Amino acid sequence: MNATPSGGLRPSFAMALTIGACGGAVFTWIGMPLSWMLGAMTTAGLASILHLPVKGWARARPPMSAVIGVMLGSQFSPHTLESAALWWPALIGLAGYLVVSAVLCTLYLRRMVRLDPVTAFFSAMPGGLIDMVLLGTERGGDERTIALMHSSRIFLVVLGLPPLMTLVTGADPGARAAAWRPLANMGLADVAFFLGAIALGTALGRLARLPAPFLIGPMMVSMALHWSGTTGFTVPSAVIAVAQIVLGTTVGCRFAGTSTRRILHILLTSAGSTVILLGVALIFALALQYVIDVPVEGILLAFAPGGLAEMSLIALALNLEVSFVVVSHISRIGMVILGAGLVSRWRLAR
């Protein structure tokens, strides 16, 4: 935990956040897609590699997750349930994608990288960073390697998705950005509902012990408020930009405290598995676009194992089908946790 004894913010994270915000501003100025997230992630990651005094802060992510949860809930509408009934082929395809990509990545990490079987298996799983680290350590894997492999996977997936989308569809991600929503559009009643959804959702998420309680709890409360017609607020773009900066910075800072040589080795190793994961996801997305009424870039984003919060923010930034992406990623995380636990227990019992 990178907090001061009084619970305040350490200078190391303040510096990281400043560097991340500057990176986001530069990326925005030059017209990069997903500029605030990618800029913050890239510059914070470089600062970590260069061993500048930057570190993440464990307390920064939960409130940003709650903000994102409320944003995601506001994107659901009554017609979402009607659409969801037609998404079942994608969920079956998602299960197939997870099996194929996990097998290929495990073989790659075992045969080419020469990791031990347990570390390779849990490093290859396409999702569930914290859960895979805990399960892998419990089964005797290398905790540090598993954590770094998943952190670098998220980093590389978020960084590589926009150019991959452009390559596949020919579309410019920057041109698909959602319209700017000014702070002035949010009245006092909207602010009250926004903050209330965060507070109530966080409490309910923790009480019900939901997976990712800080994100899913507020999302469910916000969804209920919007579905019922109680409120129709939209989250201002400035708030979304702040969430992107904080999340991008925390992802980039996951390499802090690791030697430059180790970071570069892990990034190079993870690049191979990331190519496998995105390549298989692309194949499934190209096939499923003819089965469900979702564009190929939306399916690719829904299958890409880059983290629920990060992928949801990309969906918001690119004005894609947010509800489909959220449902797919929640399903992916559940399938990975359940499947990895069962398979690893079976393998160890042999």
Side-chain angles (χ1 to χ4, degrees):
M1 183 88 60
N2 298 315
T4 62
S6 61
L9 184 64
R10 274 193 174 178
S12 56
F13 182 67
M15 176 177 281
L17 208 55
T18 301
I19 291 173
C22 290
V26 170
F27 273 44
T28 300
W29 178 64
I30 63 178
M32 290 287 288
L34 308 174
S35 55
W36 293 107
M37 176 183 284
L38 292 183
M41 186 180 71
T42 301
T43 51
L46 286 173
S48 298
I49 292 174
L50 295 173
H51 297 295
L52 296 181
V54 296
K55 286 185 179 178
W57 190 39
R59 296 185 182 182
R61 191 174 180 90
M64 288 301 102
S65 295
V67 169
I68 293 167
V70 173
M71 287 191 293
L72 297 178
S74 70
Q75 301 298 308
F76 283 73
S77 61
H79 85 274
T80 301
L81 287 177
E82 300 174 10
S83 300
L86 305 175
W87 293 341
W88 62 266
L91 296 181
I92 294 176
L94 177 62
Y97 158 73
L98 294 175
V99 172
V100 173
S101 59
V103 169
L104 292 177
C105 282
T106 301
L107 288 173
Y108 160 73
L109 294 175
R110 283 286 293 124
R111 302 288 175 83
M112 298 187 69
V113 184
R114 302 294 182 184
L115 293 181
D116 66 86
V118 176
T119 301
F121 177 78
F122 285 101
S123 296
M125 292 299 103
L129 187 154
I130 295 175
D131 303 282
M132 293 305 100
V133 171
L134 293 175
L135 278 172
T137 304
E138 180 184 311
R139 303 288 195 270
D142 185 332
E143 176 182 3
R144 183 71 171 168
T145 297
I146 296 172
L148 285 172
M149 286 292 293
H150 281 284
S151 296
S152 56
R153 167 179 56 79
I154 293 172
F155 184 94
L156 292 171
V157 167
V158 175
L159 196 64
L161 264 180
L164 179 60
M165 287 181 176
T166 300
L167 180 65
V168 173
T169 66
D172 177 12
R176 298 197 56 166
W180 180 265
R181 296 183 292 273
L183 282 167
N185 285 0
M186 220 178 185
L188 289 178
D190 294 331
V191 173
F193 279 118
F194 176 67
L195 296 177
I198 289 176
L200 179 59
T202 298
L204 290 177
R206 298 181 70 179
L207 184 64
R209 296 183 177 180
L210 295 173
F214 293 100
L215 187 143
I216 296 179
M219 183 183 73
M220 294 177 67
V221 172
S222 177
M223 190 189 309
L225 288 173
H226 284 81
W227 272 2
S228 65
T230 304
T231 181
F233 72 82
T234 57
V235 181
S237 298
V239 176
I240 299 175
V242 170
Q244 290 187 54
I245 291 170
V246 174
L247 284 176
T249 300
T250 56
V251 170
C253 284
R254 281 176 175 161
F255 303 109
T258 306
S259 69
T260 302
R261 186 173 182 176
R262 181 82 185 277
I263 292 173
L264 295 177
H265 174 72
I266 289 291
L267 283 173
L268 184 61
T269 299
S270 184
S273 58
T274 301
V275 168
I276 294 171
L277 291 169
L278 290 181
V280 177
L282 177 58
I283 292 171
F284 274 82
L286 290 172
L288 284 168
Q289 68 175 322
Y290 301 106
V291 181
I292 59 174
D293 187 24
V294 176
V296 64
E297 56 266 35
I299 303 173
L300 179 60
L301 185 58
F303 279 32
L308 172 58
E310 289 79 9
M311 296 298 99
S312 300
L313 273 176
I314 292 177
L316 280 168
L318 299 185
N319 207 22
L320 293 171
E321 182 66 70
V322 174
S323 54
F324 174 69
V325 173
V326 171
V327 169
S328 297
H329 279 283
I330 292 175
S331 301
R332 174 179 62 84
I333 293 169
M335 290 177 189
V336 167
I337 293 172
L338 178 62
L342 291 174
V343 171
S344 63
R345 188 177 297 116
W346 171 71
R347 285 171 64 90
L348 290 174
R350 294 177 62 185

